[in-house]
Amino acid sequence: TAVKTTATKAQSPPTGTGKVALVRPTRVVLDNGIVVIVQENHSNPTIAINSNVKAGGYFDPKGKDGVAGLTAEMIGRGTQKRSALELASAAEFVGASLGASADTESARFTAKSLSKDFPLMLDLLSDELRNASFPEDQFEKAKGEALSGLEESKESPKSQAMRAFFNNVYPPGHPYHQPTFDEEASELKSITRDDLITFHKACYRPDTMIIAISGDIKADDAISQVKHYFGDWKAEGPTPKMEIPTISETASKRIVIPIMDKSEVNVIFGHPMPVRRSDPDFYAARVMNQILGGGGALGSILGDEIREKRGLVYDVRSTFDANIGAGPWYAAIGTNPKHVDEAVKTLQAEVAHYAKNGATQKKFEQSREFIVGVFPIALETNEGMARMLMNAEFYGLGMDYLKNYAKIYRSVTLQQVNAAAKKYLHTQA
């Protein structure tokens, strides 16, 4: 069943073999539960960290959507030892950078610096994660910025359409449900500093933490430094558990959100899709989506048919969210108001045709090789490598995943991809 919400570069395989020359990363679990993964890369004197803790929006207190996001935003705004200015100055003085964000399933932290400043980077990251003090003035400032950002998003047709889509596909109470802008603003306003302190104490803990490190350092040295700054951190209370239910489809719905003075209409068309990142079907589903609309306006079925041949849209692409839980599949188009109905009708027809008839061998091979070809590019920086290592651990893919990536995708067959299209793509409206 489909839910449509409306508010008023070419895909070619990169060059390269797709073989990633990797030494297997080193992985250890500290006594307090922190998983540390290190990939040595001595090509330049830099290091990057990508870290994760189960402190996402899933764990927001009922009626207080936004606590996880505000907590992640606040950890760099003051600790028991350093003010926000002191934290920022310490990093800037050596050209290092630290960042934090939260999504539904986790809070993520990134850091990068010169190799010689790795101990300082860990010192700052440890201080922020363990000793955040949530200064009252910074809390009010962060909350005000979040409310302003929300107000700004209300002016975006795409943001309106996307929020309405997630609001209707997932029922209230589901982790992927998104409240309306007004509901979220109301909940944000009700959040107190004490809510953040309580959340931080419960969810920021070593036994759900992953620290992935890539760069110019010996694995043993990196692990030793992590132990120095994080090894005496103790978990308190029960370990947060996360269970995300898979949603079956509900009745079709068409939602129209008028926004004045906008020359473009944005449409999100999609439905729940029962594929988690850990599911064996994930790889066939990814190739399936790449063929259909993953390449964007150029090089995909939707791009070729709706944009290039018919000229009905400015842009079209499709994607699906497969994480710890199974998210939706959806296509997004931007079009002139006078073309909306025809564009949506054509989109539905193309999805239905693909689901019924599948893809050609040529399209399949092009899309599969594109997926294989872009992977080495993602590993060219320490930040990219650390991110991929962190994801492999978070989703339980194993430490050989990066090495076996090309082999995994090249083992996917056209038959599997066409079966996935038939199984997962629906167009009722």
Side-chain angles (χ1 to χ4, degrees):
T1 307
V3 171
K4 298 194 296 292
T5 56
T6 309
T8 311
K9 130 187 183 171
Q11 176 186 330
S12 57
T15 56
T17 62
K19 293 178 181 175
V20 183
L22 283 176
V23 177
R24 198 172 195 270
T26 300
R27 178 187 183 276
V28 300
V29 182
L30 303 189
D31 291 342
N32 59 4
I34 296 177
V35 177
V36 185
I37 303 158
V38 185
Q39 181 73 61
E40 294 185 27
N41 171 23
H42 302 290
S43 62
N44 61 71
T46 63
I47 295 182
I49 295 172
N50 198 294
S51 183
N52 169 305
V53 65
K54 284 183 181 169
Y58 178 94
F59 300 104
D60 278 344
K62 187 172 175 58
K64 300 217 173 188
D65 193 86
V67 167
L70 273 177
T71 303
E73 172 63 32
M74 281 289 294
I75 68 157
R77 296 196 180 210
T79 70
Q80 291 156 24
K81 294 197 295 184
R82 298 175 173 103
S83 67
L85 180 61
E86 286 169 335
L87 287 166
S89 299
E92 284 173 17
F93 185 71
V94 296
S97 65
L98 287 85
S101 63
D103 57 24
T104 301
E105 297 179 350
S106 67
R108 294 200 176 201
F109 313 97
T110 58
K112 58 181 179 177
S113 73
L114 293 173
S115 311
K116 66 183 180 63
D117 299 313
F118 182 63
L120 172 64
M121 188 163 58
L122 280 182
D123 182 19
L124 294 172
L125 188 61
S126 170
D127 193 22
E128 290 182 357
L129 289 170
R130 299 175 62 177
N131 306 316
S133 59
F134 306 102
E136 188 70 50
D137 61 330
Q138 290 289 340
F139 167 68
E140 293 301 335
K141 187 178 176 186
K143 194 158 82 162
E145 289 166 359
L147 286 165
S148 296
L150 206 56
E151 203 60 37
E152 202 173 297
S153 291
K154 283 176 74 172
E155 300 303 311
S156 161
K158 190 169 185 178
S159 294
Q160 284 271 15
M162 190 69 77
R163 183 171 289 258
F165 174 74
F166 278 90
N167 181 279
N168 283 272
V169 168
Y170 295 96
H174 191 280
Y176 296 158
H177 174 81
Q178 290 187 12
T180 66
F181 283 106
D182 290 343
E183 286 169 346
E184 184 165 338
S186 175
E187 293 189 18
L188 260 174
K189 287 173 186 173
S190 77
I191 294 171
T192 67
R193 176 176 174 269
D194 284 343
D195 290 326
L196 270 57
I197 292 169
T198 301
F199 181 87
H200 181 265
K201 187 174 181 181
C203 295
Y204 280 62
R205 49 195 299 135
D207 54 346
T208 69
M209 189 175 190
I210 302 162
I211 300 178
I213 299 160
S214 176
D216 185 24
I217 191 169
K218 293 285 187 184
D220 288 349
D221 292 343
I223 293 162
S224 175
Q225 292 280 4
V226 172
K227 282 181 181 174
H228 177 74
Y229 289 102
F230 287 93
D232 62 345
W233 192 14
K234 303 297 182 198
E236 294 180 24
T239 305
K241 302 293 183 190
M242 190 161 52
E243 292 180 13
I244 298 178
T246 299
I247 293 295
S248 56
E249 295 184 38
T250 53
S252 299
K253 205 173 194 178
R254 179 175 179 133
I255 302 157
V256 178
I257 306 165
I259 301 179
M260 303 305 292
D261 304 321
K262 299 292 180 183
S263 59
E264 181 176 336
V265 173
N266 289 92
V267 177
I268 307 295
F269 174 93
H271 52 72
M273 185 166 133
V275 178
R276 293 177 166 87
R277 180 61 187 86
S278 57
D279 290 344
D281 257 6
F282 170 83
Y283 303 101
R286 185 174 173 202
V287 179
M288 169 203 82
N289 181 72
Q290 186 67 28
I291 293 167
L292 180 59
L298 299 175
S300 67
I301 289 173
L302 295 179
D304 289 347
E305 293 296 326
I306 303 176
R307 185 176 185 269
E308 295 308 299
K309 287 186 183 177
R310 300 173 190 256
L312 294 173
V313 299
Y314 308 125
D315 185 49
V316 58
R317 61 185 62 247
S318 67
T319 190
F320 68 102
D321 297 342
N323 300 301
I324 294 294
W329 172 87
Y330 56 93
I333 60 176
T335 184
N336 187 295
K338 66 183 181 184
H339 291 149
V340 174
D341 290 338
E342 190 181 353
V344 171
K345 189 176 176 182
T346 307
L347 169 63
Q348 288 177 260
E350 290 303 325
V351 174
H353 183 269
Y354 179 48
K356 182 180 178 183
N357 301 300
T360 63
Q361 184 73 28
K362 181 181 178 183
K363 205 76 163 169
F364 161 70
E365 288 177 1
Q366 282 178 339
S367 294
R368 187 179 62 174
E369 287 309 303
F370 178 84
I371 289 170
V372 170
V374 294
F375 191 65
I377 298 169
L379 304 180
E380 284 180 353
T381 65
N382 284 325
E383 298 100 297
M385 177 65 77
R387 183 175 64 252
M388 290 295 182
L389 289 169
M390 214 286 305
N391 286 340
E393 177 67 27
F394 186 65
Y395 295 119
L397 307 178
M399 286 298 97
D400 289 326
Y401 171 69
L402 274 62
K403 185 179 73 175
N404 293 335
Y405 178 93
K407 191 191 302 181
I408 291 168
Y409 277 101
R410 289 199 172 118
S411 71
V412 174
T413 66
L414 175 60
Q415 291 72 25
Q416 289 171 330
V417 169
N418 289 344
K422 195 179 291 286
K423 182 177 180 181
Y424 296 123
L425 295 174
H426 311 291
T427 57
Q428 297 94 324

